[in-house]
Structures are given as structure tokens and as C-alpha cells.
Amino acid sequence: MEENYMATSRNGHDLKDMYNPETNTLDIRSNGLYPSNVLSNLCSNGFCFDGMICGSMEGFLQSLKRKELDKQRQICSMKGGNARKTSVTSWQTDQIVWWKGQAIDRQSEEYQQLIHRAYQAMFEQNERFRTALMQTRGMLLTHNNGESNTYKTTLTPTEFCGILTELRDNYDMPQEFWNELNMSRTRFFN
């Protein structure tokens, strides 16, 4: 059964209004009112990425912490809350995460491109996520919880909100813009 993301309560708990009209900011939280809750990585915004079924962005992010392809596939397909429960910290020692059998340095541009591509796939494939994100036009997106140290998390609040803002603000840009942006990134980091 699909959850009603426009609801004002869930499991007997009131959802919180995460929009601040004074600062025109929206804090992205799973316990927030729409659209805040739908933009959360814990929301079950399913998509397919590089041939892998992702039950949520949280599933994808947690799967990166596992080298074993079968385990990665299993976690990737999970909805947010269940995926979060599989979190491990062993990757932090060497800063290596994994995607489909390939080791990737968490601190690398290759990693940033992987994360951007995953969000782009979810944005393109998941109408609920895309609609919620586009409803935040003109707002500053924040995520006031989460780890800010890139050596301790697979996605900081700054990275997260930056990706969402880029997707939203560039949605109507012509294909030439996207081609030039990708070429610029490649030139800059190579």
C-alpha cells in the first residue's frame, strides 16, 4: 500500500511544517509535511539506476557501503527506514565505497558524479519526487540534521541540498546547457 505523502500525520504522529516563511527555507525531513517528506532520502521514491532497482535514495546510499554485489543489490532495493538500519561504518577507515563491484574513493570527483547521476535518475523516473522538488522553486533547501563531515557520511547536508537545488533550478535548461555543464566538469576534474 502506497503511503499518502499529503497526509498531516503518520502512525499517530503529526507531521511538522518544515517551511520557514521568514527565511523562505524548507528543511527536508522525513517527518515533515509535503513536500519536505517526499524530498527526504528515506521516502520510498523508487527508481532504476545502472540496472539496479532502488527502493529509495537511502537504499542506494546505504548500498554503497557494501562490497558484496548481492548484499548491495538487496540493500539498494529497500525502502528508506529499512535501508537505514543496514548502515555500517567500516567504509570510513579507508574512505572506499562500492558500486557494482568497483571501488570508489568517497572523497573523489568520481564519487560526486555517481551521486549526481543517481539523483538525476530518480528525478527523471519518479514523478512524485520531481513534482515535490519543483514545488520548492524559489525556496532555499536545507537539511538541518545529518553529518557534515564527508569522512563520516556518504552524503552531507550541503551535498544533498546542492544536488537537489541544481536539479530543480536547471530543470528547464536546454540540452546544450547540460552538455556544456558535463564537459566543464570533465575538464575541471581531469
Side-chain angles (χ1 to χ4, degrees), residues 92-108:
Q92 293 174 354
T93 304
D94 59 8
Q95 292 297 295
I96 298 297
V97 295
W98 297 86
W99 183 240
K100 296 180 76 173
Q102 181 172 345
I104 301 170
D105 180 350
R106 161 59 176 101
Q107 305 303 321
S108 69

